[in-house]
Every structure is written in C-alpha cells, then in structure tokens.
Amino acid sequence: MNICGIYYCDVANGPGMRTSLYVSGCTHHCPGCFNEKTWNFNYGREFTKEDADAIIESLKPAYVRGLSLLGGEPFEPVNQKELRPFLERVRAEAPGKTIWSYSGFTWEQLNDINCKRCFTVNTIDMLKLIDVLIDGRFVEAKKDLKLKFRGSSNQRIINVSESFKQGQAVLMDEYM
C-alpha cells in the first residue's frame, strides 16, 4: 500500500487533535475531488513499519484524540489488506483513541458481500476496528463548506458500533 502523507496535529478530519493517514488509490474519481493526485495507487511512497510505529507513537499523548484514515480510499481492497492489521495494532497499542475513516463507499456497500468493488475478507473486521465512518462519494453539486467533517451533504457520519448493533446505519447527530 502506498501513502501520500501523514499529518500530525490535524484538527480538520475529526474532533480534537488527530493524526491523519492519507492512503493512495481510489477508483471513485469523484468530480471536484480535493485530492485527485491520490487516485493513483502508485502515488506517494510505500507505507512502512516505521510509518506505523511513528503514527502509534503520535497517538500516545493525552491531548491526541485519535487517528483518521483518508485518501485516496481506505476501503479499496488493496488498502484494506494492509490497513486491517495496522488498525488492530493501533487498537492494541493506543487504547482509548478513536479511529475515524472516510470512504466513498456507503455503509450499505461495505456490508454487502456481493459488492465486489469493496467487500473483501477484511472489510467487516476493518469496520469493527473503527469508531466513525464518513461514507459516500463527494458530490460537487452538494458541496457545503459549513458542514462538519465532510465535503458534501450526501455524506453521512456514522457511529459504527451502534450501526452493527442496530443492523443499519446510525448517524451521529451531534456532527450532522
């Protein structure tokens, strides 16, 4: 998996101070995407053990609330293969930190075993490792700069654990 950046002390991609990991590769190609260069799976550089170590170390201070995954597309199958074990490590070594992930795929697509574009043997396990999913493609006609933590009004901020309990997407009203 390639990454195009790691941003420490990020306050734009989730509540509080966070570390944000931008992965490379996205097949959505949303018109108006703010990060078009990340569509290329070969953009940036390889994600290394040293990167993983540095991210986990960055999560340890009490003032850091958690990790945010962006892209590119974290739920592209090739990215899931590497992100799932990394997220397991984050959970083990940085307990109490929240994990947010952005995805152009919807909650329903990610939970559909027949959705070959995104569903893999890693998808459900990866979803269960994150706390919040911001789902849905960016839609330029629905762009709204006043929205918290999302670019267009069709995107949802989903409480993952509650969604699994209720069997449907449960929105986090405080951010909507």
Side-chain angles (χ1 to χ4, degrees):
M1 174 180 79
N2 274 17
I3 62 169
C4 53
I6 302 168
Y7 295 90
Y8 303 100
C9 301
D10 183 2
V11 295
N13 296 300
M17 189 74 66
R18 312 184 69 74
T19 296
S20 291
L21 172 62
Y22 285 79
V23 300
S24 296
C26 181
T27 57
H28 299 299
H29 298 181
C30 301
C33 174
F34 83 104
N35 219 0
E36 237 179 86
K37 63 187 174 207
T38 67
W39 295 354
N40 183 339
F41 286 88
N42 296 314
Y43 180 77
R45 61 179 178 76
E46 182 181 346
F47 182 61
T48 65
K49 182 185 180 310
E50 292 76 23
D51 292 323
D53 292 345
I55 290 170
I56 289 169
E57 196 59 35
S58 79
L59 297 173
K60 291 185 177 176
Y63 63 85
V64 177
R65 296 266 307 265
L67 171 69
S68 294
L69 302 174
L70 302 98
E73 172 60 65
F75 282 92
E76 288 288 354
V78 66
N79 292 337
Q80 288 182 49
K81 185 177 179 182
E82 298 225 19
L83 285 173
R84 186 196 45 79
F86 169 64
L87 294 179
E88 288 170 348
R89 188 171 164 213
V90 170
R91 282 285 179 223
E93 296 180 36
K97 303 299 180 173
T98 61
I99 300 174
W100 283 44
S101 183
Y102 288 76
S103 179
F105 296 109
T106 64
W107 171 260
E108 292 76 16
Q109 289 172 312
L110 290 168
N111 282 279
D112 180 356
I113 62 171
N114 296 311
C115 186
K116 302 301 180 207
R117 277 198 63 218
C118 64
F119 192 90
T120 74
V121 297
N122 295 303
T123 308
I124 298 300
D125 289 337
M126 190 169 146
L127 280 170
K128 288 182 176 179
L129 290 163
I130 65 174
D131 299 291
V132 176
L133 174 72
I134 294 86
D135 82 337
R137 294 170 53 119
F138 171 75
V139 176
E140 197 165 21
K142 295 182 178 191
K143 180 178 180 178
D144 184 347
L145 297 176
K146 292 179 255 156
L147 296 171
K148 279 188 172 183
F149 309 126
R150 54 202 172 115
S152 57
S153 61
N154 62 296
Q155 295 172 314
R156 303 177 294 178
I157 302 175
I158 296 171
N159 180 320
V160 174
S161 64
E162 280 302 310
S163 297
F164 276 120
K165 286 179 193 171
Q166 295 187 30
Q168 64 181 359
V170 175
L171 304 185
M172 298 186 70
D173 293 332
E174 67 265 33
Y175 300 121
M176 300 304 284

